[in-house]
């Protein structure tokens, strides 16, 4: 059997949830587990985060899978419903929905539901992605207040630059000004806001990438926040090659040795979810020692420098990312973010879940 494997550590998920609770002790924690639990598996993520106050997902199918698995927490559809037909199941299974455009308000007003629905009304404070303009929010709130299909209202927004130097001061001020007269609970904070801006924690925080052991800020490590990696991606050396000075390796000969080198071929490639565009020098660990990738990543294999690891041989363990090689470091080297790497894990990679 091909040796590549992703290992999901449920205790690390629970630990990172504890970090979120410690950072926002007066808020309820909405654990974001969309995109198949950020590549960790929807129900795997839910199991590790079972003590969260709620779960946020993208699709109705995800929400129903959580209900069918026995989870009774608040479950929020982050983009709301896409058609009025979904409202019956939402009502029956007591699923909360984001409302971000007038068509969704009209769906609620025109539906005949057995049970009213909890609604999170989204206000656009500069992200310019989803949400009502601040000038329209009062009118939308009034319509929801008199709608018999609405049981509760929460006000929410999403910050575009919580992970960057400009922070959230301007959009937070706009949100506070817009909602000053409204008595409803609020949901504002993503992971970066949870970690950086306690003034925006409010009644709910929506913790996402931090729960999976990755930092939402490019210049701050996950370890500095006491976050633990949840996914480890590992494989083995399946062949050894020797290069002389001037010899090259891999497609396109992207790497040429300037001295004699010993290289290992690893059973992992872009068809497994490893980034094809990862350059020479991307961190990797072999037999417990840090080294670097060389050459272009292939569909099923990649190359590592073993010159300074004489004990490494065929069968030696390789960590692509995990406890020794932070996924943030791999992502930064490859010019992307950890979210993409986690979500890109291929279905063909076996997944092992451990406590």
């Amino acid at each position: 059997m091909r040796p590549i494997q992703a290992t999901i550590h449920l205790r690390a998920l629970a630990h990172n949830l504890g970090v979120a609770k410690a950072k926002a002790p007066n808020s309820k924690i909405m654990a974001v587990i969309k995109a198949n639990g950020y590549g960790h598996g929807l129900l795997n993520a839910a199991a590790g985060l079972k003590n969260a106050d709620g779960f946020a997902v993208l699709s109705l199918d995800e929400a129903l899978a959580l209900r069918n698995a026995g989870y009774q927490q608040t479950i929020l559809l982050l983009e709301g419903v896409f058609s009025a037909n979904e409202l019956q199941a939402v009502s029956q299974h007591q699923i909360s929905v984001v409302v971000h455009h007038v068509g969704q308000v009209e769906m609620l007003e025109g539906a005949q539901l057995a049970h009213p629905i909890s609604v999170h009304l989204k206000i656009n404070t500069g992200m310019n992605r989803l949400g009502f303009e601040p000038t329209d929010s009062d009118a939308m709130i009034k319509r929801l207040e008199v709608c018999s299909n609405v049981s509760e209202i929460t006000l929410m927004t999403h910050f575009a630059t919580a992970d960057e130097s400009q922070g959230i001061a301007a959009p937070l001020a706009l949100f506070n000004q817009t909602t000053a007269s409204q008595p409803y609970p609020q949901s504002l904070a993503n992971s970066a806001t949870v970690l950086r801006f306690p003034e925006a924690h409010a009644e709910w925080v929506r913790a996402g990438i931090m729960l999976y052991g990755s930092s939402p800020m490019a210049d701050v490590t996950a370890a500095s926040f006491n976050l633990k990696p949840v996914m480890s991606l590992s494989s083995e050396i399946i062949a050894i090659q020797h290069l002389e000075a001037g010899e090259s390796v891999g497609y396109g000969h992207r790497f040429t040795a300037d001295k004699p080198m010993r290289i290992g071929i690893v059973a992992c490639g872009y068809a497994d979810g490893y980034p094809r565009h990862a350059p020479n020098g991307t961190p990797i660990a072999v037999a417990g020692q840090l080294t670097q990738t060389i050459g272009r990543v292939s569909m099923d294999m990649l190359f590592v420098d073993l010159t300074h690891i004489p004990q490494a041989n065929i069968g030696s363990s390789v960590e692509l990312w995990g406890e020794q090689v932070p996924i943030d470091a791999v992502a930064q080297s490859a010019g992307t973010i950890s979210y993409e790497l986690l979500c890109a894990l291929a279905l063909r990679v076996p997944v092992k879940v451990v406590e």
Side-chain angles (χ1 to χ4, degrees), residues 130-192:
L130 298 179
F132 295 100
E133 291 304 306
T135 51
D136 297 329
S137 61
D138 281 350
M140 293 301 108
I141 291 170
K142 288 177 181 177
R143 288 176 67 169
L144 294 174
E145 286 174 333
V146 299
C147 179
S148 61
N149 289 322
V150 174
S151 61
E152 299 175 318
I153 299 172
T154 298
L155 304 179
M156 70 181 295
T157 194
H158 192 70
F159 298 123
T161 56
D163 58 336
E164 299 182 9
S165 58
Q166 57 263 57
I168 66 168
L172 178 60
L174 176 59
F175 183 87
N176 288 339
Q177 178 184 359
T178 301
T179 62
S181 64
Q182 300 293 346
Y184 299 109
Q186 300 176 352
S187 172
L188 312 177
N190 58 2
S191 288

Side-chain angles (χ1 to χ4, degrees), residues 3 30 49 87 91 104 119-120 200 202 208 212 244 283 286 292 332 354:
M30 180 79 71
L49 300 168
L87 286 174
S91 170
Q104 292 173 327
V119 167
H120 288 228
Y212 305 96
E244 298 298 329
V286 178
Q292 59 184 3
Q332 185 172 17
V354 300

Side-chain angles (χ1 to χ4, degrees), residues 68-69 78 86 99 110 122 161-162 171 178 187 209 218 250 284 306-307 331 336:
N68 291 336
L78 285 169
E86 294 183 318
V99 170
K122 192 163 196 175
T161 56
T178 301
S187 172
I209 193 64
I284 193 169
L306 301 180
T307 307
T336 185

Side-chain angles (χ1 to χ4, degrees), residues 297-320:
V297 176
S298 302
M299 181 180 287
D300 309 306
M301 291 169 280
L302 55 82
F303 307 93
V304 295
D305 182 4
L306 301 180
T307 307
H308 64 294
I309 313 177
Q311 73 274 23
N313 215 320
I314 293 176
S316 291
S317 63
V318 177
E319 182 182 277
L320 288 305

Side-chain angles (χ1 to χ4, degrees), residues 26-68:
N26 299 317
S27 303
K28 294 180 180 179
I29 309 294
M30 180 79 71
V32 182
I33 58 174
K34 62 180 179 176
N36 195 31
Y38 284 49
H40 295 71
L42 177 74
L43 296 182
N44 294 337
L49 300 168
K50 61 185 178 182
N51 292 323
D53 300 291
F55 295 119
V57 295
L58 191 70
S59 71
L60 180 57
D61 286 344
E62 291 172 315
L64 294 178
L66 291 171
R67 284 286 185 251
N68 291 336

Side-chain angles (χ1 to χ4, degrees), residues 161-164 189-197 209-210 216-217 339:
T161 56
D163 58 336
E164 299 182 9
N190 58 2
S191 288
T193 306
V194 171
L195 295 170
R196 297 183 68 195
F197 302 109
I209 193 64
M210 66 176 292
M217 281 81 72
Y339 304 71

